[in-house]
Amino acid sequence: MLPTRYSSKYDPLAQPCMSLIGNQYMLTKVGSKSVQRKIKKVGYKVNNPARLQPACAHTGHVISKDDDDRLKTILGCVSKDDNKIKTMLLGRVKSEDDNKLKSFQAGFLKNLKSLYRFTRPNTLNGLVIAVTSICCLPLQNLGDLTPTFFMEVFKTVVPAALMAIYMTAINQLVDVKIDKINKPDLPLASGDFSIKTGVAITLTCAMMSLAMGIMIGSPPLAWGLILWFILVTAYSIDLPFLRWKRNAFLAAISIMIGYGVGIQFSFFIHIQKYVLGRPVVITRSLIFTTGVITCMSLAKALLKDLHDVDGDKEYGIRTFSVVLGKERVFRVGVYMLLITYGAAAIFGAYSSSLLSKLITIISHCAIASFLWFRAQMVDLSENASILSFYMFIWKLYEVEYLLIHFAR
């Protein structure tokens, strides 16, 4: 039977209670020799002795919890009155486990936030809203809103979202050096993600998007995604005859075709013919959407590089902002948007529906007024002010995809 009291000579609160012998932990100087012999007989194997810290009963000891059963066996050799030792040992083990869990959680959340920034949320959100809105454009009555329709829309939005991530990811991969100047907070530029991680995410999104588009069995959807992939790759990747972003004209054309024409027609026809089962009809709302979004895409193509002039100049990227200057490009972009909203209001005036006419005219006039007021507040000498205005343009882009349903 184990003794119930400690020897006064070996008070565990005043003497070291743990020591490392070879590859094992041993409880020492605790209780009688019989307790020591039993503990030495059991021992506690440590897989990584380098992690151990000097033992001290005052501060406790970090115990590697590689084998819970052995720890329990050691504690079982200590008498019931040795609660302080038991509490110390179990407390240190629990503390180490808690630290490991907190470290894992912190690392996981950091990677999750980096992935979120890697997807460029403003672009991803805008394109998801755009595709969802276009999918609803062929609807003729409430009877079309069936569970099957919503499932097909979801199956359409997912590959589109993956292609949107590919679009932002491939651009970051080839522009790491430029982004260290223009956008140092991005995951690849800041070092939060390695190049291998970026390549893995980029290729996975592209392959999954194309595979899903082909497997759905809709030619317009598949060709729309393939066209999108080609334009994005040609815009970004640094190969002969590609890297269109170096040329302001080619960059603008690729953005206009991708955002303005390709997305609208491919997703509209996919839903109209292959989901709703109706013949292909180019509707008035589709014409309105294509015209307005194409003009807005061109304006975004002009404005998006205003805050990237420093890095683009250094690496020979001849954007409109580099060639023409910030002030001139800013004015052209804002005027182009104002003209677009004016044309949209005129288009709405010819609507056969009074409700559609009022909403289209009033909303676009109000947005144009707000845009003009917001543009007066931009300080072109401050990149933060320019970037804030560009994010505002993305919000207008998203709002427009809600208004297109009234242009009938």
Side-chain angles (χ1 to χ4, degrees), residues 40-238:
K40 289 181 180 180
K41 184 177 180 181
V42 174
Y44 189 81
K45 190 172 182 180
V46 180
N47 290 334
N48 187 7
R51 296 177 53 201
L52 301 178
Q53 300 174 1
C56 179
H58 293 294
T59 60
H61 200 296
V62 177
I63 299 175
S64 179
K65 196 179 179 185
D66 296 316
D67 190 343
D68 282 336
D69 293 334
R70 283 191 175 274
L71 179 60
K72 291 176 182 177
T73 305
I74 292 177
L75 292 175
C77 293
V78 183
S79 66
K80 294 182 179 179
D81 288 347
D82 298 337
N83 290 328
K84 292 181 180 179
I85 297 297
K86 291 182 179 181
T87 301
M88 180 195 72
L89 295 177
L90 293 175
R92 295 303 297 182
V93 170
K94 184 177 184 299
S95 176
E96 182 178 295
D97 288 345
D98 289 343
N99 290 337
K100 289 180 180 178
L101 179 61
K102 290 178 181 178
S103 177
F104 171 79
Q105 290 174 340
F108 178 77
L109 289 176
K110 180 181 178 182
N111 289 332
L112 199 60
K113 290 178 180 178
S114 297
L115 179 61
Y116 177 74
R117 288 185 288 115
F118 188 66
T119 63
R120 302 305 300 273
N122 62 297
T123 303
L124 180 60
N125 294 341
L127 288 171
V128 168
I129 291 173
V131 172
T132 304
S133 181
I134 294 168
C135 288
C136 296
L137 210 55
L139 296 175
Q140 295 181 357
N141 50 63
L142 294 178
D144 292 335
L145 297 174
T146 62
T148 301
F149 171 78
F150 287 111
M151 181 56 66
E152 292 299 325
V153 170
F154 177 75
K155 289 164 59 178
T156 303
V157 170
V158 171
L162 290 171
M163 189 57 71
I165 296 174
Y166 167 75
M167 177 179 67
T168 58
I170 188 66
N171 197 46
Q172 291 178 66
L173 275 176
V174 298
D175 284 349
V176 174
K177 293 181 179 179
I178 301 177
D179 286 340
K180 287 182 178 180
I181 300 174
N182 294 334
K183 306 179 185 75
D185 60 319
L186 292 178
L188 293 179
S190 64
D192 290 340
F193 274 176
S194 66
I195 297 298
K196 290 183 179 179
T197 301
V199 170
I201 296 173
T202 304
L203 293 180
T204 299
C205 289
M207 291 187 293
M208 288 181 63
S209 176
L210 294 174
M212 292 179 68
I214 294 171
M215 290 172 62
I216 288 173
S218 169
L221 177 61
W223 282 110
L225 291 171
I226 291 172
L227 174 63
W228 195 354
F229 173 80
I230 292 173
L231 289 173
V232 166
T233 304
Y235 176 87
S236 298
I237 200 165
D238 194 3

